[in-house]
């Protein structure tokens, strides 16, 4: 129905209030948008009189009420910072966002950017992966913070990796709970009724505090839960009003005392039974994955293995056992597992996968690789906390004895019980077993060295050559391998990895985009210890999170990235090839969708563009050693560097 | 041990496919240059490396420089491989191609004494 011109509001009346002014403007706008319709009803064009708003109208639109304060002497954000200080949180890794501007400002000014110090990233995935790598290396969590909704979604991949890897992160997001406090536009789409619902399956604990006292208690509770094995990320949603508004009664607020939780030791009776079985076994094998939490963990495992003189297979979830220890049988794990009569799995995520072979063929099948009657014992906290949706539990492995308890904490008692259980006649047999294992390990090392000679002078550079050249440059430092690429296990085969900080484990969730930022987080932890951090960096992983380099430069975090540039998501390339072969077709098109060529990425230029030293691409293996030496000189003076090496696929 | 198992399986396959015929044996002296092109084109390098040094898919892929089997046995194996190794139909990799690939593999430098590599003795 066309409107009559006389229906338009009187815009020139001085008494018109703000709402009517806007309404009128909207209506006249609507009229202006339907000229054809208006002309059809009223062929004579109508002139609409528009008068600018008068002084009263302008005041109503631009000035707040006189009673509305513009200054405040305290903020909830400041109290939140006090809570973080009470728990010795060193860093707050962030992707800046207005929904947490209240606590952000409190950190930089109230806390003078100390405890926590802000680490700036350009993506929430980078922030959380940095916290992931840091926590494993430093053995303590740091905090991250990002937007509600959009930030949580960006962060979710890194949170998933941390969840699967059982690593603590104290994560926060901003949110504006009260709808009438949200500005039109972005604040609505950045708010949620329950912003943590999207990631709850990846969190060990979460909350949305409704008061500052609630925040204090929930934050301390969160850190205690996060750092109790099995560890995991925790997250609090912080209401913007709670962060920004003045503190009404600071004297009435109390920060609860933070005390770390002592991890549980396994039941003594069950450990004694395990010790009896192990002491009397002919060929016991220890398999470990995510066991070592502190340097003591590695030392305890050495003492335990030596008490038994038995094989140890380290699957690399953490730096559990020295690579050059005579009892380290990790490179011949399948062989020792096949001979074992008692198998002890400690903090294993996928014990089934170690005890079975699985065929990825048209009809998938599997078979056990253990000998008949082999006893299986598990020690760890796998069953103590779990969730159901994400299938990171791996396939169920039955066991003869399942001991709930923290592996690292339980080892001293287990070692003492083993020593008591080993009789003098068994002791000599054990020593003989240890000698045989030592000889077998030497043979495995010789084979690894022989394997490494294959393709030594080839171009693209062999991955073995990369590892050997890098080790030559760092072996005399207190080095730390803070990250590596998929299937790049040459350091474990060739290097002397003898301390907990020599290796920081993998991603947990196999989520690409982990390695570059997690390595940087670990390097940040190493910086305080004066260690030399190096990382093997897959090109595909790097392409997810290239701005990690900018964060490295900005915060001057010393770390050498050695780019394992095989110009492909190569695992996927091989899978596509397998599909084609299965269907009687060739692999000539397997590069489609799986490779990073045409154009080739010049990672050294990318590095320089992000503000760090970059060199490469290195295609001649003879040029690699000198290039690494130059880059490491940069790292040793406290800055990050990257050397791009064009490598063979694996 | 694994290589021997492959060889045995390949020998069985050889009988099954009738690949031990004189005509195929005559083709088994392949051309290394053509074999290198084929090795790259059909993707042998993806799991076994450009230098035949080995690699990994779900499980380790063996170093091909250690390959003891003759061309006909290798061809039989490729038609019906074990484990996660993808099969290669004759339409993709003919028996003549297999012979060429094998010639290329045999032309590779192979293993050297690691004691002569200072970087491997650190």
């Amino acid at each position: 129905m066309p409107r009559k011109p006389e229906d338009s509001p009187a815009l020139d009346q001085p008494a018109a209030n703000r709402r009517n002014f806007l309404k009128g403007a909207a209506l006249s706008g609507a009229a202006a948008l339907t000229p054809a319709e208006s002309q059809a009803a009223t062929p004579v064009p109508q002139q609409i009189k528009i008068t600018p708003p008068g002084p009263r109208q302008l005041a109503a639109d631009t000035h707040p009420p006189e009673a509305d304060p513009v200054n405040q002497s305290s903020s909830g954000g400041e109290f939140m910072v006090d809570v973080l200080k009470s728990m010795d949180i060193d860093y707050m890794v962030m992707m800046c966002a207005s929904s947490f501007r209240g606590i952000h400002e409190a950190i930089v000014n109230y806390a003078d950017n100390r405890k926590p110090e802000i680490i700036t990233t350009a993506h929430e995935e980078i922030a959380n992966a940095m916290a992931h790598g840091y926590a494993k290396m430093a053995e303590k969590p740091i905090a991250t913070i990002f937007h509600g909704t959009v930030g949580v979604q960006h962060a979710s991949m890194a949170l998933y990796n941390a969840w699967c890897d059982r690593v603590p992160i104290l994560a926060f997001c901003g949110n504006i709970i009260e709808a009438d406090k949200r500005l039109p536009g972005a604040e609505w789409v950045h708010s949620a009724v329950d912003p943590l619902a999207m990631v709850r399956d990846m969190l060990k604990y979460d909350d949305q505090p409704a008061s500052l006292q609630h925040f204090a208690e929930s934050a301390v509770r969160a850190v205690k839960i996060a750092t109790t094995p099995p560890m995991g990320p925790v997250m609090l949603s912080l209401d913007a009003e709670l962060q920004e508004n003045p503190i009404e009664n600071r004297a009435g607020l109390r920060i609860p005392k933070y005390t770390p939780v002592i991890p549980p030791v396994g039941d003594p009776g069950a450990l004694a039974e395990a010790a009896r079985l192990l002491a009397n076994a002919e060929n016991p094998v220890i398999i470990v994955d995510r066991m070592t939490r502190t340097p003591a963990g590695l030392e305890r495992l050495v003492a335990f293995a030596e008490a038994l003189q038995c094989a140890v297979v380290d699957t690399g979830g953490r730096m559990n056992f020295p690579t050059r220890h005579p009892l380290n049988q990790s490179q011949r794990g399948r062989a020792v597992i096949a001979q074992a009569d008692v198998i002890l799995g400690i903090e294993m995520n996928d014990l089934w996968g170690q005890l079975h072979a699985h065929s990825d063929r048209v009809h998938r099948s599997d078979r056990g690789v253990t000998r008949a009657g082999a006893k299986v014992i598990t020690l760890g906290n796998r069953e103590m906390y779990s969730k159901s949706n994400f299938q990171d539990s791996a396939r169920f492995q039955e066991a003869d004895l399942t001991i709930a308890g923290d592996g690292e904490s339980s080892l001293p008692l287990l070692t003492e019980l083993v020593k008591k259980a080993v009789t003098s006649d068994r002791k000599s047999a054990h020593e003989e077993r240890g000698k045989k294992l030592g000889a077998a390990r030497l043979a495995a090392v010789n084979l690894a060295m022989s394997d490494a000679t294959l393709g030594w002078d080839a171009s693209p550079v062999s991955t073995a050559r990369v590892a050997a050249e890098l080790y030559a440059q760092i072996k005399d430092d207190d080095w730390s391998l803070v990250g590596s690429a998929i299937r790049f296990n040459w350091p474990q085969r060739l290097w002397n990895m003898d301390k907990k900080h020599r290796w920081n484990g993998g991603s947990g969730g196999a989520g690409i985009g982990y390695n570059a930022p997690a390595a940087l987080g670990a390097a940040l932890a190493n910086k305080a210890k004066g260690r030399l951090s190096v990382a093997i960096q897959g090109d595909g992983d790097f392409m997810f999170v290239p701005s990690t380099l900018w964060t490295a430069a900005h915060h001057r975090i010393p770390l050498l990235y050695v780019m394992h540039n095989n110009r492909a998501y190569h695992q996927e390339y091989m899978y596509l090839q397998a599909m084609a072969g299965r269907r009687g077709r060739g692999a000539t098109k397997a590069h489609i969708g799986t490779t990073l060529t045409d154009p080739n990425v010049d990672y050294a230029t990318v590095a320089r563009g992000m503000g760090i030293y970059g060199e490469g691409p290195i295609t001649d293996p003879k040029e690699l050693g000198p290039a690494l030496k130059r880059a490491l000189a940069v790292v040793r003076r406290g800055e990050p560097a990257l050397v791009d090496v064009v490598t063979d696929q694996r | 041990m694994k290589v021997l198992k492959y060889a045995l399986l390949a020998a069985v396959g050889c009988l099954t496919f009738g690949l031990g015929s004189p005509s195929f044996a005559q083709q088994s002296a392949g051309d290394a240059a053509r074999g290198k092109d084929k090795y790259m084109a059909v993707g042998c390098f993806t799991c076994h490396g450009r230098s035949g040094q080995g690699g990994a898919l779900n499980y380790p892929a063996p170093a091909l420089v250690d390959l003891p089997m003759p061309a006909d046995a290798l061809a039989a194996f490729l038609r019906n491989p074990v484990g996660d190794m993808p099969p290669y139909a004759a339409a993709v990799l003919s028996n003549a191609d297999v012979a060429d690939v094998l010639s290329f593999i045999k032309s590779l430098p192979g293993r050297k004494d690691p004691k002569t590599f200072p970087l491997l003795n650190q």
Side-chain angles (χ1 to χ4, degrees):
Chain A
M1 176 69 73
R3 285 187 301 106
K4 294 176 183 176
E6 56 268 29
D7 290 342
S8 298
L11 300 178
D12 55 346
Q13 292 178 9
N17 63 25
R18 182 185 186 191
R19 178 169 293 176
N20 283 340
F21 172 80
L22 294 172
K23 181 181 173 187
L27 287 169
S28 51
L33 287 171
T34 56
E37 199 175 17
S38 294
Q39 285 169 8
T42 54
V44 180
Q46 300 296 308
Q47 189 171 12
I48 299 174
K49 187 177 180 183
I50 300 176
T51 303
R56 285 175 58 194
Q57 188 62 57
L58 281 172
D61 284 346
T62 58
H63 295 170
E66 287 180 4
D68 198 1
V70 295
N71 294 306
Q72 64 186 88
S73 58
S74 69
S75 73
E78 294 166 8
F79 178 73
M80 292 175 178
V81 170
D82 287 341
V83 174
L84 296 180
K85 281 182 181 296
S86 77
M87 295 186 288
D88 195 32
I89 302 296
D90 291 327
Y91 295 103
M92 176 76 88
V93 194
M94 68 167 56
M95 168 63 221
C96 59
S98 59
S99 60
F100 65 84
R101 62 188 187 179
I103 190 171
H104 187 167
E105 192 278 339
I107 294 170
V108 297
N109 288 318
Y110 173 74
D112 199 21
N113 198 26
R114 286 198 290 265
K115 295 272 184 178
E117 175 187 345
I118 285 173
I119 300 293
T120 309
T121 72
H123 199 292
E124 295 83 350
E125 183 174 3
I126 294 172
N128 285 278
M130 279 190 71
H132 183 167
Y134 182 97
K136 284 192 285 188
M137 186 58 74
E139 299 142 32
K140 61 182 287 194
I142 52 175
T144 63
I145 192 164
F146 36 90
H147 248 323
T149 62
V150 289
V152 171
Q153 290 177 84
H154 279 306
S156 60
M157 181 61 251
L159 290 170
Y160 181 65
N161 275 332
W163 162 255
C164 294
D165 203 22
R166 301 298 186 265
V167 172
I169 296 173
L170 176 58
F172 299 104
C173 76
N175 193 24
I176 303 178
I177 295 175
E178 293 182 61
D180 58 317
K181 300 293 171 55
R182 297 172 195 153
L183 289 169
E187 288 193 351
W188 276 86
V189 291
H190 288 169
S191 299
V193 173
D194 183 5
L196 306 187
M198 294 180 283
V199 290
R200 186 156 289 130
D201 276 337
M202 312 164 191
L203 300 174
K204 205 177 165 197
Y205 172 79
D206 71 271
D207 197 3
Q208 185 164 260
S211 69
L212 290 175
Q213 187 60 44
H214 183 170
F215 169 83
E217 293 172 18
S218 195
V220 175
R221 186 200 304 274
V223 173
K224 294 186 79 157
I225 290 173
T227 54
T228 301
M231 300 184 189
V234 294
M235 193 165 171
L236 302 183
S237 166
L238 304 182
D239 178 37
E241 293 271 301
L242 202 60
Q243 304 169 50
E244 295 179 18
N245 288 351
I247 303 173
E248 290 181 2
N249 178 17
R250 178 64 182 85
L253 295 175
R254 183 174 179 276
I255 300 174
K257 184 167 69 175
Y258 168 71
T259 49
V261 175
I262 308 301
V265 175
D267 174 73
L271 290 174
E273 174 62 9
R276 188 188 66 77
L277 288 168
L278 289 162
N280 293 313
E282 292 300 318
N283 290 305
V285 172
I286 304 164
I287 314 177
V288 283
D289 189 30
R290 296 191 186 114
M291 191 210 73
T292 294
R293 295 183 285 100
T294 73
L298 182 143
E299 294 165 9
R300 289 173 183 177
L301 185 57
V302 169
F304 176 54
E306 288 179 351
L308 275 168
Q309 288 297 309
C310 75
V312 177
V313 177
D314 183 352
T315 57
R318 300 288 187 271
M319 180 65 229
N320 296 300
F321 201 69
T323 53
R324 292 189 177 176
H325 193 286
L327 298 174
N328 190 325
Q329 306 294 309
S330 305
Q331 302 309 320
R332 48 188 302 271
R334 192 49 60 91
V336 293
I337 289 169
Q339 295 167 357
D341 52 350
V342 176
I343 297 162
L344 170 62
I346 308 178
E347 303 293 3
M348 290 299 296
N349 181 57
D350 185 9
L351 184 57
W352 187 94
Q354 292 297 313
L355 306 188
H356 295 79
H358 194 283
S359 280
D360 180 10
R361 295 166 71 92
V362 176
H363 299 293
R364 291 189 168 200
S365 62
D366 56 74
R367 62 183 173 82
V369 297
T370 55
R371 68 190 230 191
K375 299 281 186 190
V376 176
I377 306 166
T378 62
L379 168 61
N381 51 53
R382 203 73 179 85
E383 286 84 3
M384 292 164 70
Y385 188 85
S386 189
K387 293 191 179 182
S388 303
N389 185 26
F390 297 119
Q391 295 292 292
D392 63 307
S393 58
R395 194 159 168 184
F396 181 76
Q397 172 62 51
E398 65 184 49
D400 298 280
L401 180 61
T402 301
I403 308 172
D406 178 59
E408 179 174 316
S409 301
S410 302
L411 275 182
L413 176 57
L414 184 57
T415 304
E416 289 309 307
L417 291 167
V418 160
K419 287 177 179 173
K420 286 179 186 171
V422 175
T423 56
S424 55
D425 59 320
R426 294 296 301 158
K427 196 166 186 176
S428 58
H430 288 186
E431 285 171 359
E432 192 59 32
R433 182 170 66 206
K435 286 178 186 169
K436 286 181 181 173
L437 288 169
R441 192 200 73 85
L442 274 181
V445 170
N446 288 334
L447 177 61
M449 291 165 64
S450 174
D451 285 348
T453 68
L454 296 169
W456 184 258
D457 294 317
S459 177
V461 184
S462 77
T463 51
R465 180 78 181 258
V466 172
E469 294 280 2
L470 178 59
Y471 189 56
Q473 300 292 333
I474 65 171
K475 63 184 172 54
D476 296 326
D477 291 84
D478 187 16
W479 58 270
S480 177
L481 181 65
V482 290
S484 190
I486 182 171
R487 312 279 185 204
F488 194 105
N489 68 347
W490 284 109
Q492 282 78 6
R493 297 182 75 187
L494 297 175
W495 297 9
N496 182 18
M497 305 174 82
D498 57 350
K499 297 184 173 105
K500 184 251 179 191
H501 65 264
R502 299 297 195 214
W503 170 237
N504 208 34
S507 66
I512 307 292
Y514 163 86
N515 194 68
L520 188 63
L524 179 63
N526 280 337
K527 183 180 179 181
K529 304 273 187 183
R531 296 172 186 148
L532 179 66
S533 297
V534 298
I536 305 296
Q537 177 60 48
D539 55 333
D541 179 278
F542 176 81
M543 289 289 276
F544 273 61
V545 282
S547 72
T548 302
L549 298 186
W550 178 87
T551 296
H554 181 69
H555 291 282
R556 288 163 185 77
I557 303 171
L559 166 62
L560 173 63
Y561 287 108
V562 180
M563 190 64 79
H564 171 20
N565 181 7
N566 61 15
R567 294 174 173 160
Y569 290 102
H570 190 64
Q571 189 77 11
E572 307 311 319
Y573 188 121
M574 290 189 289
Y575 282 140
L576 204 64
Q577 184 180 350
M579 283 293 103
R582 192 181 289 183
R583 294 164 186 176
R585 299 189 273 257
T588 53
K589 295 181 180 177
H591 66 285
I592 298 174
T594 57
T595 51
L596 293 168
T597 56
D598 190 20
N600 295 331
V601 181
D602 182 348
Y603 294 104
T605 297
V606 173
R608 290 192 290 269
M610 293 286 184
I612 81 169
Y613 179 90
E615 188 164 342
I618 304 291
T619 55
D620 182 348
K622 293 185 181 65
E623 294 177 1
L624 179 55
L628 292 173
K629 190 172 186 178
R630 289 188 291 271
L632 282 164
V634 174
V635 177
R636 288 189 178 99
R637 67 171 184 252
E639 296 173 26
L642 181 148
V643 174
D644 177 17
V645 190
V646 178
T647 53
D648 205 351
Q649 307 312 115
R650 284 284 157 88
Chain B
M1 178 68 83
K2 190 174 281 184
V3 172
L4 290 175
K5 186 173 77 176
Y6 288 173
L8 180 63
L9 286 164
V12 173
C14 183
L15 293 172
T16 306
F17 286 85
L19 294 168
S21 60
S23 59
F24 182 69
Q26 287 164 2
Q27 296 169 18
S28 62
D31 180 276
R34 278 202 311 265
K36 181 178 182 181
D37 291 343
K38 211 68 190 176
Y39 185 88
M40 297 301 294
V42 303
C44 303
F45 77 99
T46 66
C47 297
H48 298 284
R50 287 175 171 81
S51 304
Q53 72 268 33
L57 177 54
N58 295 319
Y59 297 100
L64 296 183
V65 295
D66 299 327
L67 207 64
M69 61 180 74
D72 50 358
L74 176 60
F77 174 74
L78 290 170
R79 309 294 179 237
N80 190 22
V82 297
D84 292 347
M85 168 87 186
Y88 281 84
V92 174
L93 197 66
S94 69
N95 290 344
D97 293 334
V98 172
D100 291 340
V101 167
L102 192 59
S103 291
F104 165 65
I105 293 169
K106 287 177 177 173
S107 75
L108 290 167
R111 294 180 183 277
K112 294 173 182 166
D113 182 2
K115 290 187 174 60
T116 63
F117 290 71
L119 291 182
L120 294 175
N121 292 274
Q122 304 177 79

